[in-house]
Amino acid sequence: MNSPAASLSVAIVGAGPAGFYTAQALTELAPRAQIDLIDRLPTPFGLIRYGVAPDHQETKKIQELFESIALSPQVGFIGNVEIGRDIALAELRELYDAVVLAHGVPQDASLGIPGDTLPGVYGAASFVGWYNGHPDLAGLQPRLGAPGAVVVGNGNVAIDIARVLSKSRAELERSDMAPYALEHIARSAPGEVYVMGRRGPVQAKFTTVELAELGTLEQAVALAEPADIPDRPGEDLSPRDRRVKAKNLECLQAYAHADPHSKPKRIHLHFYAKPLEILGADRVEGIRFERMESGADGVPAGTGRTFDLACSTVIAAIGYRACALEGLALAPEGNRLHHDDGRLCRGLYVAGWLRRGPSGKIGTNRADGEAVAQRICLEIPPSGRAGRAGLLDKIQGRGLRTVDFEGWKRIEAAECVAATPEAVRRKISSVDEMLAIAHSCLFT
Ligand code: NAP
């Protein structure tokens, strides 16, 4: 099979940030390599389209870089192909010299408390996917309304959800939120949203920019309990962490002194509250928490005191779980694959959240992509495998339709044409509709 004139063929599973950064690094390190980004959806960009908050259009501008990578003659986009459903991972590995798994960690971590499967309980991946128009989640139609929504978790995802639920219709119209979700939230979102952390404000994982944005909403005021917010972080932090945490505390101090009646909606930031049980007979009616206190080493300790919050909706923004393809082993945490510095076995690699767990910003994936590309170039000689042509042959032989980057550009054009003047696009969330547009000649 070895051929001296052959060029390296690499399949990247998942056309999100980790996949694109890997493709970019490969184009630079191996200028003759043929690289295919394969996605189970007809749309590229993964979490940029379906995870980043719809009102954070600045963050989504990274899409322009990814588009320039997709347009490189070395790179192909093959959408609407699911590895493990349409073609086995083993078959893909036969077709390409190397395969990189970069399809993320799509499943919600479960709260693991009584009542966590009641109607009205959602994981953040589902809830965010729903308002971002993910085809699998468009039908979610979450229960919203009085007396309020509780978001469990103190990361940036919890902040995103609280903010989106608290925005006015006019604010939401400036986003690219799925039209059905905009309507549902504008009509039914409750006036009270609670963001609950099991530890204190110094241990909270959200970043200052995201926290501060809660103080800028047209219709909602952010509030905190004065007794929960210390004047300054402890001395046990690095100087950098102390600076970052001090800024969060400054912001929370302002929320602790805000007037709860200054705006019609409220976002309540509560700390030291560990979820114990979701209450309700056949749907969510409330949630019970144990009051925690800060232990000497920052580890929260239970006090045995509990309190209940009435709510119609609970959204768990507490992290994600990986799904293992075809017998690959998960790390004990369950939120990434078990790997050896990015390598799973000969010719099979992993990048992004599936490699390091769900953490970091979009740009964090760049280093992952570079590291994996370097390893591939060092370890894998080109062998003249069938690559893209072989994959397309197999897929078409199974009667399946793929979407290439031109097809995606037609979908994008249709979304832009349908957008209101305030929004950049009106998202399509039906795969059948996307396929019809991708294969039509109307949007070229
Ligand atoms: P995260 O930052 O890891 O936060 C998860 C939160 O869930 C933590 O507060 C954690 O508390 C809490 N938690 C975990 N298990 C829990 C349980 N059983 N009960 C109660 N609380 C529990 O995760 P994320 O918010 O999903 O964000 C994932 C990554 O995406 C992060 O790196 C984030 O910064 C990034 N992101 C960035 C942006 C942005 O830059 N705008 C937006 C969204 C996401 P403990 O700390 O006590 O474990």
Side-chain angles (χ1 to χ4, degrees):
M1 216 109 134
N2 267 320
S3 142
S7 49
L8 185 72
S9 59
V10 182
I12 300 172
V13 181
F20 271 100
Y21 281 124
T22 305
Q24 181 183 37
L26 281 166
T27 58
E28 287 160 9
L29 290 170
R32 294 186 57 236
Q34 185 193 63
I35 302 140
D36 289 326
L37 284 153
I38 302 167
D39 206 285
R40 74 186 190 88
L41 292 176
T43 52
F45 310 134
L47 278 185
I48 304 299
R49 183 172 163 96
Y50 295 117
V52 170
D55 57 341
H56 277 183
Q57 290 298 319
E58 277 300 307
T59 311
K60 288 180 194 257
K61 285 204 171 137
I62 191 72
Q63 201 171 301
E64 291 166 15
L65 168 72
F66 296 160
E67 175 158 338
S68 72
I69 297 165
L71 292 173
S72 149
Q74 284 178 263
V75 177
F77 170 67
I78 305 177
N80 200 39
V81 173
E82 183 170 338
I83 309 305
R85 180 193 64 186
D86 301 327
I87 180 161
L89 178 59
E91 289 178 285
L92 192 68
R93 293 183 63 201
E94 285 288 311
L95 291 167
Y96 288 82
D97 293 319
V99 172
V100 181
L101 302 181
H103 53 283
V105 289
Q107 289 191 335
D108 280 304
S110 131
L111 278 165
I113 57 175
D116 67 357
T117 56
L118 278 173
V121 181
Y122 308 96
S126 303
F127 198 79
V128 170
W130 167 73
Y131 64 56
N132 270 324
H134 192 293
D136 292 353
L137 297 156
L140 188 73
Q141 193 73 352
R143 289 181 71 235
L144 294 174
V150 168
V151 186
V152 178
N154 262 183
N156 280 331
V157 171
I159 296 277
D160 277 351
I161 294 169
R163 184 184 69 251
V164 163
L165 279 177
S166 306
K167 280 200 158 181
S168 65
R169 180 184 282 275
E171 285 171 309
L172 294 177
E173 280 171 349
R174 298 194 284 274
S175 77
D176 71 351
M177 174 177 283
Y180 58 76
L182 193 157
E183 220 26 67
H184 191 55
I185 291 177
R187 280 179 194 205
S188 329
E192 313 295 326
V193 176
Y194 302 85
V195 179
M196 310 297 292
R198 61 182 172 180
R199 299 197 284 162
V202 174
Q203 290 81 31
K205 290 187 172 152
F206 38 66
T207 43
T208 312
V209 173
E210 281 64 31
L211 182 62
E213 198 180 349
L214 294 184
T216 65
L217 305 184
E218 284 174 9
Q219 286 201 339
V221 55
L223 303 166
E225 286 295 314
D228 281 349
I229 319 298
D231 291 333
R232 62 184 76 86
E235 297 301 313
D236 50 336
L237 299 171
S238 69
R240 185 188 171 277
D241 280 353
R242 240 195 339 267
R243 272 197 309 278
V244 170
K245 299 296 181 183
K247 284 190 186 153
N248 279 1
L249 293 183
E250 209 177 289
C251 195
L252 288 164
Q253 288 286 359
Y255 297 163
H257 294 99
D259 173 3
H261 305 294
S262 54
K263 294 182 184 173
K265 296 181 175 192
R266 280 157 288 280
I267 300 173
H268 308 260
L269 296 151
H270 285 285
F271 300 93
Y272 303 114
K274 177 181 157 186
L276 285 185
E277 182 180 354
I278 298 184
L279 308 171
D282 49 13
R283 62 188 169 83
V284 174
E285 287 170 21
I287 174 165
R288 178 162 299 152
F289 292 94
E290 179 177 12
R291 184 80 192 161
M292 308 296 282
E293 59 190 13
S294 183
D297 46 5
V299 179
T303 62
R305 295 196 312 275
T306 63
F307 67 96
D308 296 349
L309 253 180
C311 62
S312 57
T313 316
V314 172
I315 303 159
I318 59 169
Y320 307 102
R321 290 290 168 265
C323 316
L325 266 175
E326 292 176 28
L328 295 171
L330 293 184
E333 307 88 294
N335 62 3
R336 61 182 177 85
L337 288 181
H338 176 75
H339 62 87
D340 169 17
D341 204 14
R343 186 181 188 268
L344 297 163
C345 56
R346 185 175 164 75
L348 186 61
Y349 300 85
V350 59
W353 277 12
L354 198 52
R355 171 188 166 129
R356 59 173 205 283
S359 64
K361 299 206 158 213
I362 291 158
T364 315
N365 295 295
R366 182 191 288 272
D368 265 14
E370 287 169 358
V372 95
Q374 274 166 12
R375 265 200 98 157
I376 291 171
C377 292
L378 275 176
E379 294 175 357
I380 306 295
S383 70
R385 291 180 195 226
R388 186 180 308 161
L391 175 63
L392 292 177
D393 254 14
K394 256 197 198 315
I395 293 292
Q396 280 150 16
R398 289 171 192 181
L400 302 168
R401 288 199 294 176
T402 58
V403 174
D404 60 13
F405 205 72
E406 275 182 27
W408 150 247
K409 291 299 286 179
R410 287 190 201 105
I411 297 169
E412 186 184 48
E415 290 186 339
C416 293
V417 165
T420 57
E422 300 81 24
V424 286
R425 66 183 67 81
R426 184 179 166 87
K427 271 187 180 171
I428 298 167
S429 42
S430 146
V431 168
D432 287 343
E433 196 180 338
M434 288 180 194
L435 292 178
I437 294 169
H439 295 114
S440 78
C441 307
L442 284 179
F443 291 96
T444 44

